[in-house]
Amino acid sequence: MQQNNGLDKSQIISFAVLCLVLFGFMFYFQRNDEEAEKLKADQQKTEQAKNPVKPTPAANINPNVTPNAIQVSNLENKQLKLEFSSLGGQVSKVELLEYKAYDQKTDKADLPLNLITKNNSSYGFQFKDKTGKTINTKDLVFSPTVAGNAVTMTANYNGAVIQFVYTLLDKYRVDFKVRTKGLANVTSDNKADFIWDYSVRNLEKGRAQEQTHSEFSYAFDNYKEYEYDGRTTMDEPDETLNWIGVKQQFFSSVIEAKNGFTQSKGNQESIEEGEYLKKLNFEGFVEMQGNELNQDFTWYFMPLDLKLLKTYDKNFDEILPLGWAFIGGMNRYFFMPMYNLIASWGISAGWVIFLMTIIVKLILSPIMYKQHKLSAMMKVIRPEIDEATAKFKDADPMKKQQATMEIYRKAGVNQMAGCLPALVQIPIFYALFRFFPNFIDLRGQGFWFAKDLTAYDDLIKLPFSIPFLGEHLSVFAIACTIVILIYTVMTSGNMQQPQQEGMPNMKVLMYIFPITFLFFLNTSASGLSWYYFVSNAINILIILVIKYLILDEKKIHAQIQANKEKPKTEGKFQKRMREMMEKAQEQQKTQETTRGKKK
């Protein structure tokens, strides 16, 4: 690529567009910024004051029940290991046998992966008896019976029999049937209130990232519509929810109601430290027929694997936050299949990402070539631009702009073409921002000093905490920042300083921009940092190839001269800009004439 003698307008436009949109995406979706977290915490405290989330330890649910009186039943298959507590007849422990959880003490994923344990989940059906007393099944003591792959929990309340029948199925499913007999003699309610308190356990490396990905998810309208809420409250008074789930970064606990939940609402509260990330509370009603509660449900304790989620045909694949519309489509139909194809060759995840980067760069190479060719053309006409700038230095700025645009038009230079590379790279950036921390196939895959490509690498540990960086420095993030700086130096060239007082120094801004990436990438997935390190290293190689082997400045100069000789037709954009400038000039002349008359 030819060295630039200054910053042309197409570069300014491209840089501004890219900066604005990327920073917008980065700060909107990376919600671990201190001020955002403080505001969110204040909102949560307000909401929790209205409807507090208070998961109750088992020992305090029923003061008449001692821990020794609580019985535990077990079911297990190749995927799930379950425990059921006689207190409340609830699922009291869920272990996914094919996965491991991260252990902060050993810095390894070597702990049993328990979605539910230590009473972090509590649920029950609530109704009022005929005296007005509130009854919740989670306070009742059930008697368990195990037969094959099923556990039947039976409780009695004032002559009414309540049964919970759990059947362990394949594909991370637990069939859950609720049956009652004689409940009509106890209550006059025609619906029961299902209440579920859930504290999300820390399972991954990178607390802030996992906390951000922990939220409510639910489907309605016969499984056709999907919604999520990662803020403080969820409220669906008019929809019938087909299922409600608590999504974590790579796993989810979901309960499906065959006849749906109505008048649903919930809230959540972030937990700043410890083994739990968030407290979530859900409340929704289920119908009772003839004052009896006979409803069918299904529990899903599942990994967020796209292939698996699609097999359920419940719209579960929407739980995976791959991005909306076009962004999600890029991940589902391009990046994921490409990763799986290359990984099938038997190479490690880091080298798969390396090859993915090369493929993407090859696809984008025609656009990059046009961008660098435009830069070379701008260098050739730079003397004419400088001459026009000097000629109209003391004149109306509008005339100087018109003269500059005329030079561009005669040379056949399309200023707007410089925006194309920036616009193309924005959706790719955001798609990968969603891809790396959510693709379960990368979970636990190490590469060099990164033990898990879905989390940050912390080879450099600090004895203190730096704001926005934390207590570590990511080597991949540092390497990525360095190559971006080198690329910036190579593309900025001998950039001119601002000629007008008060104008920002674009060269300084272009150097600051890569530094901000260090703060962003330091706590992001190391796979993302590795991808952008490779991507920008390839950019540097492409620049060198274009500069020394492809672009010929003499030929470009000849092409520009030939363009000047050709009759020019004014494009719609150029015509619109010219008309706007002419109108602005007329208004300025009118204002000057009016001022002269007043004097």
Side-chain angles (χ1 to χ4, degrees):
M1 192 186 86
Q2 305 296 334
Q3 189 181 32
N4 294 329
N5 289 326
L7 181 65
D8 56 69
K9 288 182 169 53
S10 64
Q11 290 175 317
I12 295 176
I13 295 171
S14 302
F15 177 74
V17 170
L18 182 61
C19 286
L20 288 174
V21 179
L22 286 185
F23 274 116
F25 279 142
M26 182 172 67
F27 287 105
Y28 182 77
F29 292 103
Q30 188 78 0
R31 295 182 302 226
N32 59 352
D33 180 86
E34 289 185 353
E35 294 183 2
E37 286 296 324
K38 184 177 183 300
L39 177 61
K40 184 171 69 174
D42 293 340
Q43 292 173 339
Q44 290 167 345
K45 289 177 182 178
T46 302
E47 295 295 337
Q48 294 303 314
K50 298 177 183 177
N51 192 4
V53 178
K54 295 180 180 179
T56 311
N60 297 328
I61 291 176
N62 192 329
N64 298 320
V65 179
T66 62
N68 293 333
I70 300 175
Q71 300 181 58
V72 175
S73 304
N74 300 279
L75 292 177
E76 183 175 342
N77 61 14
K78 293 181 180 180
Q79 298 166 329
L80 295 176
K81 182 178 181 180
L82 307 175
E83 288 186 2
F84 301 86
S85 173
S86 61
L87 181 58
Q90 307 175 63
V91 179
S92 55
K93 186 173 182 179
V94 176
E95 180 181 350
L96 275 68
L97 299 174
E98 298 173 319
Y99 297 90
K100 293 294 183 180
Y102 175 73
D103 185 354
Q104 189 173 4
K105 295 179 180 178
T106 62
D107 195 27
K108 296 178 180 179
D110 54 9
L111 293 176
L113 198 149
N114 294 311
L115 292 182
I116 296 176
T117 189
K118 300 180 182 177
N119 306 311
N120 70 307
S121 174
S122 175
Y123 62 88
F125 297 91
Q126 184 171 284
F127 52 87
K128 290 184 179 180
D129 66 14
K130 291 183 177 180
T131 66
K133 182 180 179 181
T134 299
I135 307 301
N136 195 313
T137 59
K138 71 179 181 179
D139 299 332
L140 304 179
V141 178
F142 288 72
S143 298
T145 302
V146 180
N149 64 334
V151 172
T152 300
M153 294 283 187
T154 306
N156 290 276
Y157 179 77
N158 288 352
V161 177
I162 302 173
Q163 276 193 340
F164 292 169
V165 183
Y166 297 95
T167 305
L168 179 57
L169 306 174
D170 63 348
K171 294 171 60 176
Y172 304 94
R173 298 174 299 160
V174 182
D175 184 64
F176 175 34
K177 288 181 170 57
V178 180
R179 299 291 183 264
T180 66
K181 186 176 181 180
L183 194 61
N185 299 324
V186 176
T187 181
S188 299
D189 287 350
N190 58 8
K191 57 185 178 181
D193 191 1
F194 177 73
I195 297 176
W196 182 23
D197 298 323
Y198 192 100
S199 294
V200 178
R201 303 188 71 246
N202 188 186
L203 304 175
E204 313 296 337
K205 183 176 182 178
R207 181 184 185 86
Q209 181 172 255
E210 188 181 8
Q211 189 178 61
T212 299
H213 285 85
S214 299
E215 58 197 8
F216 279 122
S217 56
Y218 51 95
F220 52 93
D221 192 18
N222 196 25
Y223 303 94
K224 295 177 182 176
E225 299 295 330
Y226 169 81
E227 191 56 85
Y228 69 94
D229 197 296
R231 298 182 294 276
T232 54
T233 62
M234 61 89 68
D235 191 14
E236 294 289 352
D238 303 321
E239 301 291 349
T240 298
L241 271 58
N242 303 116
W243 53 261
I244 175 72
V246 176
K247 172 202 168 294
Q248 297 177 230
Q249 187 173 354
F250 292 109
F251 304 93
S252 187
S253 301
V254 175
I255 183 168
E256 175 193 12
K258 297 300 187 292
N259 294 318
F261 297 107
T262 59
Q263 296 176 275
S264 300
K265 62 181 179 179
N267 54 62
Q268 52 191 293
E269 175 187 4
S270 294
I271 301 172
E272 298 309 317
E273 57 184 15
E275 67 175 308
Y276 298 108
L277 303 172
K278 278 186 178 181
K279 296 178 182 179
L280 298 101
N281 168 262
F282 170 77
E283 180 180 359
F285 289 92
V286 292
E287 294 297 322
M288 297 173 65
Q289 297 179 349
N291 306 117
E292 297 288 345
L293 179 56
N294 295 302
Q295 293 285 354
D296 293 344
F297 305 86
T298 303
W299 280 104
Y300 300 83
F301 304 105
M302 55 192 177
L304 295 179
D305 179 273
L306 185 60
K307 291 181 181 178
L308 173 69
L309 298 176
K310 285 184 175 181
T311 63
Y312 296 114
D313 197 25
K314 306 286 185 182
N315 211 12
F316 285 156
D317 54 304
E318 291 289 348
I319 300 177
L320 202 56
L322 298 176
W324 68 88
F326 178 68
I327 301 296
M330 287 180 63
N331 279 324
R332 290 169 184 264
Y333 306 114
F334 181 68
F335 285 115
M336 282 186 171
M338 181 167 56
Y339 179 91
N340 290 330
L341 174 63
I342 300 173
S344 67
W345 301 344
I347 59 179
S348 67
W351 293 115
V352 173
I353 295 172
F354 178 83
L355 293 177
M356 285 175 61
T357 314
I358 292 177
I359 293 171
V360 173
K361 283 300 174 185
L362 288 174
I363 294 172
L364 295 179
S365 57
I367 297 174
M368 290 195 65
Y369 173 75
K370 290 182 178 180
Q371 180 187 21
H372 293 299
K373 183 178 179 180
L374 176 65
S375 298
M377 294 176 72
M378 293 301 297
K379 181 199 171 183
V380 171
I381 64 172
R382 173 61 63 188
E384 296 180 51
I385 298 293
D386 292 341
E387 184 180 343
T389 301
K391 181 178 180 180
F392 294 97
K393 183 177 181 181
D394 299 324
D396 184 356
M398 197 70 67
K399 290 183 178 179
K400 181 171 65 176
Q401 183 66 20
Q402 285 179 322
T404 302
M405 289 186 64
E406 182 65 17
I407 295 172
Y408 289 142
R409 190 181 69 84
K410 287 182 177 181
V413 175
N414 182 5
Q415 295 170 271
M416 297 304 294
C419 296
L420 183 60
L423 294 175
V424 169
Q425 291 180 61
I426 288 169
I428 294 175
F429 176 88
Y430 187 62
L432 293 170
F433 172 68
R434 287 291 192 178
F435 173 81
F436 285 106
N438 292 295
F439 188 40
I440 198 168
D441 288 14
L442 278 173
R443 183 181 185 268
Q445 296 293 321
F447 184 64
W448 291 345
F449 37 79
K451 296 180 179 179
D452 187 343
L453 288 169
T454 64
Y456 58 81
D457 72 88
D458 55 356
L459 184 65
I460 304 175
K461 291 181 172 63
L462 303 175
F464 48 83
S465 179
I466 301 176
F468 304 107
L469 282 177
E471 298 177 349
H472 74 278
L473 288 175
S474 167
V475 176
F476 273 132
I478 294 172
C480 184
T481 301
I482 291 172
V483 295
I484 293 176
L485 276 171
I486 294 172
Y487 177 75
T488 302
V489 171
M490 294 180 69
T491 54
S492 63
N494 299 322
M495 193 176 298
Q496 295 178 338
Q497 299 298 320
Q499 298 178 355
Q500 297 181 11
E501 186 177 351
M503 290 293 290
N505 189 327
M506 295 299 295
K507 191 169 185 177
V508 173
L509 290 179
M510 289 187 75
Y511 291 152
I512 292 176
F513 180 67
I515 301 298
T516 62
F517 260 70
L518 176 61
F519 293 89
F520 169 63
L521 293 173
N522 196 59
T523 54
S524 298
S526 54
L528 181 66
S529 301
W530 169 237
Y531 177 94
Y532 275 101
F533 169 80
V534 177
S535 178
N536 284 280
I538 293 174
N539 282 344
I540 293 171
L541 292 175
I542 290 174
I543 289 174
L544 296 175
V545 169
I546 290 175
K547 178 179 180 180
Y548 293 108
L549 300 177
I550 298 177
L551 290 183
D552 187 331
E553 187 174 323
K554 291 182 180 179
K555 289 183 179 180
I556 291 175
H557 185 271
Q559 180 185 339
I560 290 175
Q561 297 306 316
N563 289 339
K564 290 180 179 180
E565 300 298 326
K566 295 178 182 178
K568 297 296 177 183
T569 56
E570 192 174 40
K572 291 182 180 180
F573 174 76
Q574 292 172 322
K575 181 180 180 182
R576 197 174 294 117
M577 289 293 294
R578 178 180 56 77
E579 290 175 348
M580 289 173 59
M581 289 181 182
E582 290 176 351
K583 187 175 181 180
Q585 279 185 320
E586 291 177 2
Q587 290 177 345
Q588 186 176 2
K589 288 180 181 178
T590 302
Q591 291 174 354
E592 290 175 355
T593 302
T594 304
R595 291 196 201 99
K597 289 181 179 180
K598 288 182 178 180
K599 291 179 180 179

